[in-house]
Amino acid sequence: MPGKQATTRSRETPLAALVRRCRRWLAAGLLMAAPVLAAAPVDAPQETPLAHYSVTRWALEQGLPHNQVHDIRQGANGFLWVATWEGVARFDGRGFRPLGNGRERAARRLLRDGDDMLVGGIQTGVWRFSVRGVGVDACPAYPRLDVWALVKAVDGGIWIAASDGLFRLERDGRCLPVTGAEGLRHLPLVDVLADPDGSLWLASRQGLYRFAHGRLALAGNALGLPMGSVRSLLRDRAGTLWIAGEGGLWHVQDGQLQKLREERSEAVLQDRDGAIWVATASDGLQRLQHGRWDRLDAAQGLIGRATGALFEDNEGLLWMGTTHGLFRISNDPAWAIGVRQGLASDYVRSVLQDGQGRIWIGQADGLSRWRDGRAETVYPRPGEAGSTVLSLARAGDGGLWVGTYDRGVLRIAATQALALDNPIPVASLQGASVRALLEDADGSLWVGSERGLYRWREGVLARVPELPVRAFQRLPDGGLWVGFQGGLAEIRADGRPRLLVPERDFPATSVFDFLRDRDGTLWMASDAGVLRLRNGRFTGYGRQRGVPANTLFRVIDDGFGNLWFTCFRGVFRVPRTAFAQVDAGRRDVLDLELFGQDDGMPSRQANGGSAPAGWHMADGRLWVPTAAGVAVFDPARSRREHARKVPLVIDQVQVDGKSQSLVASRFQVPAGTRVTISFAGASMRQSHNLRYRYRMQGFDRDWIEAGATSEASYTNLPPGDLRFEVQVARAPVDWAAPSDMAWVQFVVEAPWWRHPAWLALAALLLLAVPAAFYAWQGRQQRRRQGELEALVAQRTEELSDKNRQLEVAGWRLAFQATHDELTGLPNRREGDRFLAAAVTQAQAQATPQPLAVALLDIDQFKQVNDRHGHAAGDAVLQVFGDMLAEFVAEWGVFAARFGGEEFLLCMAEMDAPMAARRLQELLARVRSRAVLLDDGGSLHCTFSAGVAAWQPGQSPHALLAVADARLMQAKQDGRNRVVGD
C-alpha cells in the first residue's frame, strides 16, 4: 500500500520546531545567508495523507462487463480479475477481457487457488479458471449453488458458503456438504473467516456465527454484538477480529467488543502498512491509521454504493467495487493541493520556496503561504481588494517580491508579521501585468511585464525593450538572459543588450523559462519545444522528436539526471541521456515519461507564461501550478517506481485469427499463415507508460520498438524453428535493463513444394524439360521463321493495342477489388485494411493521436426497397455515396461501404465530440437532399450513426464493436441521430 511521504510541521517534534524557529530568526538577521540557513526538509511521516491519493474509475464505457462489481482478486500472472453481474473479466491495467462461455454469468466471489482462479456464481456454482482464462465446473455435483463466499482452509481445501449451506471443495476435486452445518441453510451467509485452529467465523444476515468441531453456534450474543446483518470479517496481523455490518464497525481485542463506527460497513481490509480500510455503504472509503480516521468519498470521485469488493494488489494499490464501477485508489506520482487544502482559487500561476523554507503560491485570487499542511491567504488582507498573483521572486532581505495582474509589484517583509507594501504601483508600469521578477545583488529589481522590461532601483524605474517578458536567467558574470513573448535577449554584464531575432538567431519565437548547467549549457522552454544552447549553438527538440506539445513553460532538474518540463498536456520527464542518444542518431525521438490526471495531477494543464511556473523544493519534490491546483511530484519516488519490476505475459497467440491454447509454449504453424501474438505487462500502476520491443529470432534482424502497442503480427514466416521474444520496460526506457522478458516457440511447416521428394522431382524436370524444349525448338524454328518475319509488324501493333487494353483492364480490376461498384466508395475489405492501418499509425506515435470511427446505417432502407423497388434503393445508395464522397473531400476523412446500407467513417486527428459534430452536419445535409426516382417522384432519407474514439492499446475489432453498440443505441432511441461518447 502507500509508501512513506514527508511529514508536515503538524507532526514535528518540539526539538524540530525549536530548530525551525531558530533558523527563521537567523535568516531574519543574516539576510544574505538565508539560503544557507533555510529550514531543511522534515522527516517523512508514517503514512501517506489521503489528500495525496487519487481515484480512477472504470465502468461500462471502458469495457467493464457491468458497473456493479462484486469482488476483485489478482491472478498468478498479475492481472486483476473482476466479478460482476455479467460474468468475470480480466484487467491488464488498460482494458478488460471477458472470460468464460456465458454459463458463468452473474459472478459474486473470487478466490485465487495456486495458479487458478475460483469463481463463485449467483446460482451458477463454482468454476475453476486456469491462468490462461479457460474455465471448467469445479463442483459439477452442485451446478446451481448460490455462492456468497470462498475461503481457503488451513489444510488447503476451499470453504464454500452458499445459500444452501456450507460446502467444502477438497484438494482431490470432490465437492461435499459440511456435516454439522445443516442449520446454515436458513442463514444466508455473506462472508467466512477461517482461523488457524480450523474453526470458522460466519457472517450472515442474521448475525455472527462460529463453526468449530462440527458444531454451529451463535457467537454474536456471547460477544455482545447486536443482532443484524454482518457483512465482512477480518483477522488482522495482531490477531484482532474486525466485524463490519449494517450496525457499523467493531473489533474484538482480548475478548472485548468495541464499536468504532456507526455507519453501515460493507467490507474491511488491512493493507501492507497496517492501516485498516473500511468500505461503507454510502459514505465512501474510511481509513484508520495511527488512531486517526480519514475518508475518501464522492468529492474525490469515489461514487456509488459499496458492494463489499475491497482488495490490495501486489503493487500496494487499493481496489474497490461499487454499483458504479471499479475504482483504483492509489498514491500516484503526483498529488494535488487545491481549494480543499485552503487555496482561495484552484487556478495557480506560480510557486516558490524562499530562503527561509516558506512555500508561496500565486493564484487567481491572490497569494497563499503553505504551512503545516494547509494554505493560508496572505494577500489580499481581509476587506481589501486583491489581484491575481502572476510572478514571485526572492528578496535579498529574506522577504518576497510579488508580481500581480493589475496592482503592480508588491513586497512582503521577512518578518513574522509579513508586512505588505506596494513599491511599484501598476500606474508606473503603464497598467501592465507583471510576469517575471529578479533581484540583483545590489538590490535593484528586474521587472518583466506585458509592456516590456523595467529595472527598478532606489525608487527609480527605467524601461528597456518593449516585448512582453516571460522569464529571467542570471549568469555568473552578472549578465542576464531574458525570455520574451516574441524574442530572446542577452544583457551583458556591462549593460549592453543583444536581441536575438526569432527563427533567424534561434529556432523558436518565444522563450518561457531557462535552466543553466554548471558547464554553461543553457536549456530553454520555448514555443518550439526544448532548446539547448551549448558552445554558442542552438539545438531544438520539438514534436518531431517526441515532445508532446509545442509550447513548454518550465524546465527543472530533479537531481537524478532527469529534466522535467511542463506544458498544456501535462508534465513530462526526460533523462539527460535521452538527448545524447538523439544527438548521436541512436534514437529518432526522445524517450520520455508523461504525467497527467491518471497519475494524480489535478489537471493535465500546467500553467505557464509567468515565473516561476514550478519549483524544486528543498525536500526534493517538484511543485507545478495547474489549472486546478498545484501538482506535487516526488522524483525520488518516481525513480523507485520506475525501477519496480513489471511481470510480462504472452496473453494470446492467434493463427489466421484462431486463438491457440497457451498450455504449451511451442506451436506448430502451417506455412503461409498469419501469426498474431498479444502480450501485456502486468502492472496496474501507470500502465500507459509501459513500453515494449520484440523480435522473431530467425526472421527479424533486430529488435522492433513497439512503443505502447502490445501486439505483433507476422505473415509468410520462413519454415523452421523460430523464437518470439518480447521485453517490457517503463518509460523512459533503458533497454539495457528491461523489466521482464517473455518468449514463445514456433515451428513453421515447410510448404509442399519444399519437401525432399518434390525437390528431387523438380530437379529431374529441370534437367529433362530444357533438352526436350531445345530439340523441339530447332525443328520448329526453321518452319516458322518466314511466317514470323511477315507477321512481326502486324503482331507488334496488335500487341501494343492489347497492352494498352490490359493496362486499362488491370486498373479497372484493381479498382473493382477495393471499391463498391454502386457507390464508388471503398468496399469493406478496403475499409478493414484502412482502419487497421490507421490504428497502427495512431499507436506508433510517441503521443497517441486522436482517432474516431463511426458506423452509419440508412434508416428504414428496407421500406424504400419494398415500397419503391430496388431501383429506388440503388438511387438512394448512389446519392448517399455521393454525399459521403463530398464529406470525405471536405474533411479529409475516409469512408467505405461496409455492406448493404451500412457505411464506415474513419476520422484521423478527430476526437469523438468533434466527429459527432461533423456527422450532425452531414445528417442535416442528408435530411434536406431529395432523391429523385425514375417515376418522377422523390423521397428524403436519414441515417443513424454510432461514434467511438480509439483508446491506446485498443484493437480495430474492439473499436468497431463500441461504434456498433452506439449505432444500435441510435436506432433504439428512434433513428435519425448520432450517438457518441
Side-chain angles (χ1 to χ4, degrees), residues 780-794:
Q780 296 294 320
Q781 185 175 5
R782 290 183 295 273
R783 184 176 62 83
R784 298 193 59 183
Q785 184 174 358
E787 298 174 0
L788 290 174
E789 290 176 353
L791 293 174
V792 165
Q794 178 183 349

Side-chain angles (χ1 to χ4, degrees), residues 446-469:
W446 292 94
V447 180
S449 79
E450 284 295 323
R451 295 185 179 274
L453 176 63
Y454 295 84
R455 191 173 189 184
W456 182 81
R457 185 175 183 181
E458 297 178 354
V460 178
L461 194 66
R463 188 177 181 188
V464 197
E466 297 185 359
L467 290 174
V469 178

Side-chain angles (χ1 to χ4, degrees), residues 667-740:
F667 297 92
Q668 292 286 134
V669 179
T673 54
R674 179 183 181 88
V675 177
T676 303
I677 306 105
S678 300
F679 41 85
S683 175
M684 302 298 116
R685 187 188 295 272
Q686 292 183 275
S687 58
H688 59 280
N689 276 326
L690 296 182
R691 300 292 182 265
Y692 304 92
R693 69 173 185 173
Y694 61 83
R695 66 182 176 187
M696 184 74 78
Q697 285 196 348
F699 182 75
D700 293 322
R701 293 182 178 180
D702 202 354
W703 290 97
I704 297 172
E705 299 274 354
T709 302
S710 57
E711 186 176 274
S713 292
Y714 291 91
T715 55
N716 297 321
L717 288 171
D721 289 347
L722 302 176
R723 177 184 167 104
F724 176 81
E725 297 176 342
V726 58
Q727 293 179 340
V728 63
R730 296 184 189 273
V733 170
D734 177 12
W735 287 121
S739 187
D740 197 10

Side-chain angles (χ1 to χ4, degrees), residues 737-945:
S739 187
D740 197 10
M741 186 173 87
W743 60 272
V744 64
Q745 199 82 17
F746 293 97
V747 179
V748 182
E749 300 172 355
W752 63 267
W753 50 268
R754 292 284 296 272
H755 286 277
W758 284 106
L759 291 176
L761 178 60
L764 291 174
L765 289 174
L766 285 174
L767 293 174
V769 169
F773 172 75
Y774 285 119
W776 173 83
Q777 188 181 43
R779 291 192 301 270
Q780 296 294 320
Q781 185 175 5
R782 290 183 295 273
R783 184 176 62 83
R784 298 193 59 183
Q785 184 174 358
E787 298 174 0
L788 290 174
E789 290 176 353
L791 293 174
V792 165
Q794 178 183 349
R795 292 293 176 88
T796 301
E797 181 64 26
E798 291 175 356
L799 286 173
S800 298
D801 291 339
K802 289 181 179 180
N803 284 337
R804 286 192 293 270
Q805 294 171 10
L806 287 173
E807 184 176 2
V808 172
W811 281 105
R812 183 178 295 110
L813 287 173
F815 182 86
Q816 291 173 350
T818 59
H819 286 70
D820 174 59
E821 183 177 1
L822 183 62
T823 63
L825 294 173
N827 57 23
R828 177 158 192 160
R829 178 185 298 173
E830 182 64 7
D832 286 338
R833 186 204 63 78
F834 185 92
L835 178 59
V839 170
T840 300
Q841 182 177 359
Q843 290 175 332
Q845 302 296 320
T847 301
Q849 298 299 308
L851 173 64
V853 166
L855 287 176
L856 287 64
D857 193 276
I858 300 175
D859 294 331
Q860 308 294 353
F861 184 77
K862 185 176 183 302
Q863 295 184 12
V864 173
N865 281 330
D866 293 343
R867 294 177 181 177
H868 303 282
H870 289 283
D874 289 348
V876 169
L877 289 173
Q878 288 173 334
V879 171
F880 191 76
D882 292 342
M883 298 190 74
L884 280 183
E886 295 170 3
F887 185 79
V888 167
E890 181 179 3
W891 295 109
V893 300
F894 174 86
R897 184 180 179 189
F898 228 40
E901 65 272 22
E902 190 174 52
F903 295 80
L904 166 73
L905 281 177
C906 185
M907 296 166 278
E909 298 185 358
M910 284 193 193
D911 55 19
M914 180 183 293
R917 289 195 298 272
R918 300 291 176 255
L919 288 175
Q920 292 286 4
E921 297 169 4
L922 176 62
L923 180 57
R925 298 180 193 176
V926 171
R927 292 193 194 105
S928 61
R929 179 78 170 264
V931 179
L932 301 179
L933 304 180
D934 292 340
D935 60 4
S938 65
L939 55 84
H940 289 77
C941 296
T942 61
F943 66 84
S944 302

